[in-house]
Amino acid sequence: MKAKTVTGYEPRFDIDLKRGKVGEEKALDILDALSESRIEVKTDYGVWKTGNFYIEYEKQDRKGDWVPSGITTTEADYWAFAFKDGAIFVETSRLKQLTAKHIEEGNIGFRPGNSNSAGSRGVKLPLNNLTDVITSFGDDREENPDKA
């Protein structure tokens, strides 16, 4: 099933119309891709307090050794960060690039284990880093259709 946009409204501004079409196409592409993709959903209740998402990349096994986990081992095509009234979706490949950069820079955190879960290491990924990635079209022709 293909996603559809709402029709019927047609702005009379040429540039707004072209830019709007770019946004509609992006949204439809994402929805279509999501309908056929594996999605890992995360709910990080602390993001609004810390300003960071915690993206796990290692955990402790029963022997206390660190083993790959989370973003390192995921098979998902997309990660979704769910909130009360919506979600942010990002391609796993893009998220892996971001987390690798933060690991290199030492921007990591640790969550101690307890009787219910293992300890983990993760990237402290600033919310604005994630929104920068998903809001940049990366191609000036898409942001400015008249230059195409």
Side-chain angles (χ1 to χ4, degrees), residues 7-130:
T7 58
Y9 178 72
E10 186 179 322
R12 298 295 172 191
F13 302 101
D14 295 347
I15 294 172
D16 285 346
L17 177 60
K18 288 178 185 176
R19 295 183 97 188
K21 294 270 186 218
V22 169
E24 287 178 4
E25 288 299 318
K26 285 285 185 188
L28 293 174
D29 288 348
I30 290 167
L31 290 172
D32 288 340
L34 290 174
S35 71
E36 299 174 11
S37 297
R38 294 169 294 182
I39 302 168
E40 186 153 341
V41 179
K42 300 294 181 185
T43 307
D44 187 339
Y45 292 94
V47 70
W48 300 118
K49 292 177 189 168
T50 66
N52 299 310
F53 287 105
Y54 182 80
I55 312 293
E56 179 182 306
Y57 66 88
E58 285 182 326
K59 69 177 181 179
Q60 286 182 300
D61 66 12
R62 293 185 189 273
K63 295 183 281 182
D65 296 327
W66 290 101
V67 296
S69 64
I71 191 69
T72 308
T73 59
T74 187
E75 295 181 8
D77 302 305
Y78 288 86
W79 273 36
F81 297 94
F83 307 100
K84 179 182 175 191
D85 294 321
I88 296 173
F89 291 84
V90 63
E91 287 183 68
T92 302
S93 60
R94 295 288 300 252
L95 190 58
K96 284 183 176 188
Q97 290 171 350
L98 264 179
T99 55
K101 177 182 170 222
H102 282 273
I103 290 169
E104 279 180 28
E105 295 172 355
N107 188 19
I108 58 175
F110 173 76
R111 287 195 176 157
N114 59 38
S115 60
N116 296 322
S117 66
S120 69
R121 291 181 182 147
V123 167
K124 295 184 289 184
L125 182 66
L127 175 60
N128 66 336
N129 278 191
L130 187 59

